[in-house]
Every structure is written in structure tokens, then in C-alpha cells.
Amino acid sequence: MAHVLKYIYQKNIIIINLSKIPYRIKTDIDIETDMVDGDIKIYDFPAFHLGDRDLLSLYLSCRNIVFVADEDPHTLESAGTFLKLARGRKLGILINMIIGRPKLKYMILYSKYSKIYLIPFDEQLRIYRANGIDPIKLRSVGVAKMVKAAVDIARRLNS
């Protein structure tokens, strides 16, 4: 997402990694763990509960939301709660790490909240990320699907 936005808007993109768990990849995108100023800020939220006032307040202040989800009942329940609370525009739900065919049940339930994008599990991507290589430099089905989703989301940002 950050690479696509940087390419489209030709602006400084900053990812603010709120989980503080290092990404361990070499990239030309600025990744910070503290709040900083930038042209476009992308907040990468960790899983958090509604009692965490600081993260909830920051989440509610976001103008645009892209939710990354998995095919499991706990994530579905969490997505439903957080997307109902969202004040910002819901641009999409990326259902991540799909093995085989996506489960129709999750596609139907997630689509109630926003447009969904299906990202298949990609062993090559997992191996390269573990080695610290920037995913955008890979020729991978998972990365191609993520880029396609990011371009569509960027188009929706401009509409």
C-alpha cells in the first residue's frame, strides 16, 4: 500500500508502526514507531481492545480505513466491531493469507462492511520477508494481488 501511494502521489509516505515490533525489511519507505509529521501517514495498528483509549482515539481519528483480516471467527468479530465504530471512510478489507479457495462464509460476512480483496498465501513472500527483503521487489502472486488492491484503493481515495 505504501509503495503504491508513494508512486501515485509522489509524496513522502510514513508508516507509523504502532505495535513497535520491527518490520525487519530494507525499504525506502519511512517506518517510524513514534508519531511524526509527513505528507501521508499510514498507521499500522496492532490488535487492540476497546478499552485501550489511546489506540481507539487514534483509530477513530483516521480519515480512511483499510482493514487487514484473516479467515477466522475472532478476526471477523473484531472487524465487525471496529468497522462499525469507524468514523473514516472504509476503503476495503484485505483478506490475507488465504490457503486454497477462499471460504464463501467469510467473503459474504466481510463484504457487509466494505469491498473485499483476496490475498492468497504466498510461501515465497513469507520466506523473503523473513530474510528482510522488501516485498515490492519480489515477483510473487501475493505481492501482485496486494499491488492490484492498493491501486484500486488509491483510486477510491481520489473519488
Side-chain angles (χ1 to χ4, degrees):
M1 176 68 69
H3 284 283
V4 169
L5 293 177
K6 185 174 183 173
Y7 179 79
I8 290 172
Y9 294 111
Q10 298 295 305
K11 293 187 178 198
N12 185 31
I13 305 292
I14 296 176
I15 298 174
I16 301 179
N17 178 5
L18 297 171
S19 71
K20 312 244 190 275
I21 298 170
Y23 282 7
R24 294 188 183 107
I25 60 172
K26 294 176 182 131
T27 182
D28 62 346
I29 299 287
D30 294 329
I31 301 172
E32 303 289 337
T33 55
D34 293 319
M35 303 302 265
V36 295
D37 288 330
D39 294 331
I40 299 175
K41 292 185 274 191
I42 298 175
Y43 295 107
D44 185 358
F45 285 91
F48 69 96
H49 53 83
L50 296 175
D52 188 329
R53 296 285 183 213
D54 293 335
L55 286 178
L56 182 59
S57 175
L58 183 60
Y59 173 76
L60 293 175
S61 73
C62 291
R63 288 187 299 180
N64 299 291
I65 308 285
V66 176
F67 203 95
V68 179
D70 294 316
E71 290 184 305
D72 71 80
H74 303 293
T75 305
L76 177 64
E77 183 180 350
S78 176
T81 300
F82 280 98
L83 290 169
K84 284 177 189 171
L85 286 175
R87 295 179 185 149
R89 186 168 47 158
K90 297 172 236 14
L91 294 174
I93 299 174
L94 279 92
I95 303 177
N96 200 19
M97 306 292 278
I98 296 171
I99 298 175
R101 299 187 81 189
K103 294 176 184 68
L104 186 59
K105 167 181 133 178
Y106 290 105
M107 290 173 47
I108 291 169
L109 293 172
Y110 279 125
S111 68
K112 290 180 181 180
Y113 304 111
S114 185
K115 181 173 180 172
I116 59 172
Y117 301 91
L118 303 174
I119 311 298
F121 176 76
D122 192 331
E123 182 70 20
Q124 179 184 3
L125 177 59
R126 187 180 67 80
I127 290 168
Y128 281 106
R129 283 193 67 177
N131 291 325
I133 296 173
D134 191 342
I136 202 70
K137 295 183 179 177
L138 299 178
R139 292 185 184 266
S140 150
V141 174
V143 171
K145 293 276 187 174
M146 284 187 247
V147 168
K148 186 175 180 182
V151 168
D152 189 56
I153 288 168
R155 280 189 187 127
R156 295 179 69 210
L157 267 171
N158 293 329
S159 63

